[in-house]
Amino acid sequence: MIFYGTNASRLKDGRLSNVTCPNCNKQTSMTYSVFGKYAYLYWIPVFPLGKTNVLECDNCKRTYKLKELPSQIQQKFELEKHRGIPLKHFAGSAILVALFAWIFYANAKDKENEAIYIKSPQVGDVYHTSGSNSGFYSTAKVTAIEADSIFVIFNDYEVDKKSGIKDIDKSSNYKIENTEGFKLEEIQKLYADEVIFKIDRD
């Protein structure tokens, strides 16, 4: 279950002096509170949604939103120095940015490693492949390297999602009779054409 919604935190309290309350018509003071609203995901603030200002007459205790009050009171309120939106209201956004940056870096590092692996294959390398049927995926494991030839065993199974490849990458799914040989340049072309789209190396 995903927990999300909106919430608010108190940013500042203060008092406006010498104002006339529209309810009791007394010249008095008003106590105000400024609340910062934010959206959250799993109780972590993700991004701010603006601010809400609530004022209370110190004489009659009637509460108002700022927009409900006369322009003179609104102008006096705006002259007060208010805190900006706190950084904690951006915490979730910062986490997401960091997560995406890490994913981008990890993917770039994987591709950098794969460029090395495809030039210098090793026994045990596992190639993630676009399967024999369009829209399906499988694996092939390097079992031997002789001069410029590479021998791989193809997995017995295919999956319809790349994320499912880890479920079929099991020793029992590689049968010796499914072994095929390729020239190194053939394997490199399959990688360039993205028929081999990922390489795992222990």
Side-chain angles (χ1 to χ4, degrees):
M1 180 179 291
I2 298 177
F3 295 95
Y4 62 92
T6 60
N7 206 342
S9 63
R10 189 185 298 267
L11 303 182
K12 182 181 179 182
D13 294 320
R15 176 175 280 105
L16 300 180
S17 301
N18 302 318
V19 294
T20 300
C21 172
N23 183 57
C24 64
N25 294 315
K26 298 287 186 180
Q27 186 169 10
T28 181
S29 59
M30 286 188 171
T31 301
Y32 67 80
S33 296
V34 180
F35 296 90
K37 297 179 66 179
Y38 59 88
Y40 67 82
L41 182 64
Y42 287 106
W43 302 284
I44 299 174
V46 178
F47 54 85
L49 296 173
K51 292 187 286 189
T52 300
N53 308 300
V54 178
L55 298 91
E56 179 183 81
C57 173
D58 291 343
N59 181 61
C60 68
K61 304 303 179 182
R62 169 74 183 273
T63 59
Y64 302 90
K65 291 184 178 180
L66 182 63
K67 63 184 179 181
E68 298 173 336
L69 291 166
S71 59
Q72 296 90 336
I73 297 179
Q74 293 185 33
Q75 290 170 5
K76 191 164 188 175
F77 177 85
E78 294 301 332
L79 292 175
E80 292 281 313
K81 292 183 178 180
H82 304 302
R83 288 173 52 190
I85 297 171
L87 291 178
K88 68 179 182 180
H89 287 190
F90 293 93
S93 296
I95 292 171
L96 290 174
V97 168
L99 177 62
F100 286 125
W102 180 84
I103 291 172
F104 178 81
Y105 169 80
N107 286 339
K109 191 65 177 177
D110 286 344
K111 287 300 177 185
E112 184 180 314
N113 290 335
E114 287 174 5
I116 297 171
Y117 300 161
I118 199 67
K119 289 180 180 178
S120 304
Q122 293 182 5
V123 172
D125 286 354
V126 175
Y127 299 147
H128 294 213
T129 66
S130 297
S132 57
N133 299 314
S134 178
F136 285 81
Y137 309 95
S138 190
T139 58
K141 183 178 292 187
V142 178
T143 58
I145 301 170
E146 298 177 6
D148 63 346
S149 296
I150 299 172
F151 296 87
V152 301
I153 298 179
F154 285 93
N155 198 310
D156 284 341
Y157 296 94
E158 294 180 336
V159 291
D160 59 1
K161 293 181 180 178
K162 292 181 179 179
S163 59
I165 283 181
K166 63 182 181 297
D167 297 325
I168 63 171
D169 184 22
K170 301 175 182 178
S171 298
S172 58
N173 293 342
Y174 297 99
K175 303 294 193 308
I176 192 69
E177 58 267 24
N178 292 333
T179 300
E180 290 189 31
F182 296 86
K183 294 294 186 182
L184 177 58
E185 56 266 27
E186 291 177 320
I187 290 291
Q188 291 173 343
K189 186 176 188 309
L190 289 172
Y191 181 75
D193 293 341
E194 297 186 345
V195 175
I196 297 173
F197 59 86
K198 189 175 187 298
I199 305 173
D200 288 337
R201 176 175 291 180
D202 291 335

